[in-house]
Amino acid sequence: MSVIIIEDLCEGCGECAYLCPMGAISIRQKKALVDLDKCVECNTCVRSGICKNAALREDAELRWPRLIRKLYSDVLAEFEATGVTGRGTEEMKSNDVTGRYGCGEVGLAVDVGRPGRGAFVKDIQKVITALLRVGCELGADNPLAGLFDVSTGECLRPETLDERVLSAVVEAKCPISKCASALNALKTLAETLDTCFSVGVITRIIDGEKIEALEVIRSAGFEPLPSAKINVGLGRPGEE
Amino acid sequence: MTHSLHRSALSRPLDDDFVVFALAAQGVNSKDAASKLRTIYKILRKHRPVNLADGFNSIYTGKSADEIEASIGDSAYPAAVYTSLDTVIKVLKELTGADQGMSVVVSGDYRKLIKAVKEAGLTPHTINLSLGVFGDYEGRTDPAVADIASMCGHGLVCQRRIKKAINEVKKGKQDAVSLARELASACTCGVFNPERAVRIMLSAAGKGDACQ
């Protein structure tokens, strides 16, 4: 089962419809209606407490394969494999401690379905396949590793391919020399995919000055937007 | 998570939008990290952020700053949003002095932030650059809506709700500050910037952009 509307309690005010990131709630005959095909089980509507009559509820336990929607769409759902909530890993956020991305390497964080479109699992597979084809490696600790073979891109749970999620982050890594190929592969894929994705490129800052992959990115015809995340280098390993 | 990376600046620059957050690397330095992360949270809080959170709850999702502080565990992401670069520099200096060994990340306009990090006496280590959106999406046609929606990196602040809010500001039905708080309540990570949302909504509604 899924998010449900208790019809007897619903007054048809429509406030819940304005909260749904996927536009899955509409008002029909003065009652709210959830389009279960569009709904990605993000739980934003229920969590908001917007319905003063509590007509909006999360019903019972979700069953596989629909459960995959919640795992990739509800920010507070936790992935058992990583212990991380959300769609990705710590990626560069703890790189000063983990060294996940070294000098001479770039990371690619492809947020499939973002912003506001959502994506089918089969769309995510296309992104993974495109990156593997140009020699990228996928992170084995990414939540997606439970769904796809990280070396071939084969979907390990094909029954999920037609399930829709709010977004999922494909995290890959490659030598800087392959960065341009990877970005061009993504650009080409975007022209045929029936959704969108946001792209982040992770690279080291050499001696606190030089953004290592910046020239490669620009030479490939891409210009970074002003927005970025910077790890300021305050972390250090513990005794674990 | 890339929750604070793709903050768009289509309707106004990112001059008033900076996120600082901290985390332990799980399985590496996460053992007994809670007290360190709580120390960092207190520093973030002291500098009067416009949003404050632990990665699971923010001050706009129904928890008080004290309640959030009390619930911080080893896997928390203490996060704060500031509207001034000078404040970010002060925060970084204080975090450096506190020396908790946790990773700290700042988000915003990287051209300004790299200088700011160095001004705080630190050496920037790694950067995640946004190349923006590949493919088509609805927000591309409405810069104000896209800018506000992008402040919740998980996409939980609905574009339809933002359009309605701007319309309500335009018609004088509700004040922009209350509406921005409502929008912020959907962002569980607490990286939504309600002050920037107010400015963008006022501007889009043709009512100037001075914060109310």
Side-chain angles (χ1 to χ4, degrees), chain A residues 150-207:
Chain A
V150 293
S151 55
T152 65
E154 180 193 354
C155 186
L156 303 172
R157 308 299 294 268
E159 68 275 20
T160 65
L161 285 168
D162 287 320
E163 294 294 334
R164 191 195 300 262
V165 300
L166 186 59
S167 65
V169 187
V170 176
E171 293 176 356
K173 192 167 91 165
C174 66
I176 283 184
S177 58
K178 292 184 177 174
C179 178
S181 305
L183 293 176
N184 282 315
L186 291 172
K187 187 181 172 187
T188 303
L189 177 64
E191 289 164 8
T192 60
L193 211 59
D194 188 25
T195 185
C196 59
F197 46 82
S198 302
V199 179
V201 180
I202 297 163
T203 180
R204 293 288 292 267
I205 302 177
I206 308 298
D207 299 327

Side-chain angles (χ1 to χ4, degrees), chain A residues 18 89-91 93 95-96 114 117 197 199 201 203 205 209 225-232 236 240, chain B residues 1 5 26 29-31 99 101 103-104 106 108 110 118 125-132 134 136 153 161:
Chain A
Y18 285 105
T89 67
E90 293 164 8
E91 30 97 350
K93 294 192 279 283
N95 200 42
D96 51 350
R114 183 187 183 279
R117 287 289 304 271
F197 46 82
V199 179
V201 180
T203 180
I205 302 177
E209 293 282 346
L225 299 178
S227 183
K229 293 194 295 196
I230 298 170
N231 180 317
V232 304
R236 59 175 181 270
E240 289 165 50
Chain B
M1 298 199 293
L5 175 60
Q26 295 304 306
N29 62 2
S30 58
K31 193 178 172 192
D99 191 26
S103 295
V104 172
V106 291
Y110 74 91
K118 287 197 282 191
H125 183 278
T126 310
I127 189 167
N128 192 348
L129 296 159
S130 171
L131 297 192
F134 288 29
D136 200 21
R161 179 72 188 95

Side-chain angles (χ1 to χ4, degrees), chain B residues 53-70:
Chain B
D54 67 353
F56 307 101
N57 284 290
S58 86
I59 52 174
Y60 292 105
T61 61
K63 296 266 182 163
S64 70
D66 286 337
E67 286 171 326
I68 294 170
E69 184 177 320

